[in-house]
Amino acid sequence: MPHAPQRRWELDALRGLMLVLMTLTHMPTMYSLPSGQPLGFVSAAEGFVFLSAFMAGRVYGRRARRDGLPAMQAAFHERALKLYLCQLGLLLLAFTVIAWLGVFNRQGGVTGLLEFFFIDPQAAVVGAALLLHNPPLLDILPLYIFMMLASPWLLRRGLRHGWLGVLAVSGLLWLGEQWGLGRGVYDLVVALTGLPIPYKDMGAFHWLAWQALWVAGLWLGAREQPWPRLPGWVLAPAAVYAGAMLVWRHIAGQDPLPWLPAVGLLLDKWSLGPMRVLNFASVFVLLMAAGPWLVRVLPRPHALELLGRHSLSVFCAHIVIALFTLAFFGSTQVVRPWTTDVALLLAAFAGLFAVAMLVEARERAGRRPGVSWRARSQAQ
């Protein structure tokens, strides 16, 4: 077996940072809105999805070259099954304990989040199991599962025939979503099958748009060539645009121009509007250029590495903690003392680190069944 390269700790640290930002955003405290999109009109979700795709391309691309395409496909399917089982566990918790607590405690944040379940429980449960009904907070893993199932074909096509065709089709699907392609497909399916799940209850993320972010990350992760040195004519516009978006975000707030909805569509998160994609690309370019220097001068963030190393477990834990917080303490609309919100956040992060440390200890003791993401990545 060829020598296994060291794990890229900086990628783990970035994923850990994305998990911290998502927790700050999803926890229903007074700090939720201010902490959202701190780097401009770019959220932690974009970073998390892109990094996950990049690492998938890196790990499974090596697996394909070393062990063959069937082994790569089997590894993808194994990971997708694990993600699906995690999603089923979160749904079971939400549709039972959390739903009951929301009604018992009269917490509108929970009953609103599970609105379709209370309207049509049977359709909600069946639809959720089929990844068609995706309540808020529970709509990220279905996107991840779908892309993990599609990735073997994408990676196979890219490695055998080049990535140009894959990227072109992905770009066309993203462009089509900007003009309502996803809603058109939904309307057609409803007309043919009578699907009872409303469009808004299928999840906030428009998959036809977000697949482009995944495909781009998968392509870059699967590259064997070293990163090229970016010229100044690329870095300068990226710095100007990223800086302008950063200032605009913190002056205007989350809604860029409330009186001009067209601009909001260009920066829309759920359909990855064009200006938002450009904002993400600008931040990515700057991070790629400054990354080696940052790795040298900044202290190594071991705490973030720990979270990123066990990102799936930590991600699921943050959803569970957010759901219980909603069920007991209410949504961001509930006025609470700032000390209570600080205590809730401290308890949430303590829970995340406890989960990460438990998983770490279990892996080191060799008691974790199956092949973990970490073990797979180190074995490549």
Side-chain angles (χ1 to χ4, degrees):
M1 180 181 295
H3 176 68
Q6 290 186 345
R7 188 178 180 94
R8 294 285 298 276
W9 65 263
E10 62 272 26
L11 296 180
D12 285 331
L14 279 175
R15 285 209 296 181
L17 177 61
M18 297 303 107
L19 288 164
V20 168
L21 293 176
M22 280 194 284
T23 302
L24 287 171
T25 303
H26 293 157
M27 281 291 290
T29 70
M30 66 176 66
Y31 306 103
S32 174
L33 193 61
S35 59
Q37 305 187 136
L39 299 178
F41 292 101
V42 177
S43 72
E46 287 99 315
F48 191 77
V49 168
F50 181 83
L51 283 169
S52 297
F54 180 88
M55 295 187 75
R58 183 170 180 263
V59 171
Y60 296 115
R62 287 202 187 103
R63 183 69 176 267
R65 296 183 187 99
R66 191 191 69 188
D67 300 329
L69 294 172
M72 174 270 292
Q73 181 170 330
F76 264 120
H77 289 168
E78 178 189 346
R79 183 65 173 176
L81 176 60
K82 183 175 182 179
L83 292 166
Y84 181 67
L85 293 176
C86 290
Q87 177 71 1
L88 288 184
L90 291 173
L91 289 168
L92 179 63
L93 175 68
F95 289 156
T96 55
V97 177
I98 299 300
W100 180 83
L101 285 172
V103 173
F104 182 80
N105 293 329
R106 299 181 180 180
Q107 294 293 358
V110 168
T111 54
L113 182 142
L114 299 175
E115 178 184 17
F116 184 64
F117 172 74
F118 290 112
I119 294 173
D120 191 342
Q122 182 177 352
V125 171
V126 174
L130 295 174
L131 304 181
L132 296 176
H133 169 49
N134 302 304
L137 293 181
L138 300 172
D139 53 358
I140 299 179
L141 280 184
L143 168 67
Y144 198 175
I145 294 166
F146 172 77
M147 294 313 306
M148 291 295 285
L149 290 174
S151 289
W153 182 86
L154 295 170
L155 200 54
R156 184 191 304 265
R157 179 78 183 180
L159 293 176
R160 280 182 169 177
H161 307 288
W163 286 90
L164 183 59
V166 173
L167 293 171
V169 172
S170 176
L172 288 174
L173 289 174
W174 170 83
L175 186 62
E177 183 57 39
Q178 306 311 304
W179 295 92
L181 177 60
R183 183 56 187 259
V185 172
Y186 167 82
D187 291 339
L188 178 61
V189 171
V190 170
L192 294 175
T193 66
L195 181 71
I197 303 171
Y199 185 67
K200 67 180 182 65
D201 292 308
M202 298 191 73
F205 295 89
H206 297 175
W207 290 8
L208 292 182
W210 279 74
Q211 56 77 29
L213 191 63
W214 180 277
V215 170
L218 194 71
W219 163 56
L220 292 173
R223 282 170 50 94
E224 292 185 287
Q225 300 87 352
W227 291 100
R229 184 178 179 86
L230 296 172
W233 61 266
V234 172
L235 293 176
V240 171
Y241 189 80
M245 292 295 105
L246 177 65
V247 172
W248 187 6
R249 153 67 184 93
H250 289 284
I251 290 178
Q254 298 281 7
D255 193 350
L257 290 178
W259 62 89
L260 196 58
V263 174
L265 290 175
L266 293 174
L267 287 164
D268 184 61
K269 174 180 178 177
W270 312 119
S271 62
L272 285 181
M275 291 180 66
R276 191 178 192 90
V277 171
L278 190 57
N279 195 175
F280 178 83
S282 299
V283 174
F284 172 73
V285 164
L286 294 177
L287 185 60
M288 287 302 303
W293 175 77
L294 292 173
V295 167
R296 289 195 305 270
V297 301
L298 293 180
R300 187 166 169 174
H302 293 284
L304 293 180
E305 281 183 64
L306 176 65
L307 295 180
R309 221 167 25 240
H310 308 292
S311 58
L312 178 57
S313 299
V314 173
F315 176 85
C316 292
H318 109 274
I319 295 294
V320 171
I321 292 169
L323 288 174
F324 274 107
T325 305
L326 280 168
F328 282 106
F329 294 92
S331 68
T332 55
Q333 305 302 317
V334 178
V335 178
R336 295 183 293 264
W338 68 269
T339 51
T340 301
D341 281 356
V342 169
L344 288 173
L345 285 176
L346 290 176
F349 284 113
L352 298 187
F353 279 106
V355 167
M357 288 187 288
L358 284 172
V359 176
E360 179 96 345
R362 189 178 181 184
E363 285 190 0
R364 287 182 175 176
R367 291 194 296 267
R368 187 174 183 181
V371 182
S372 69
W373 171 270
R374 184 183 180 191
R376 274 200 301 268
S377 65
Q378 289 178 334
Q380 308 311 309

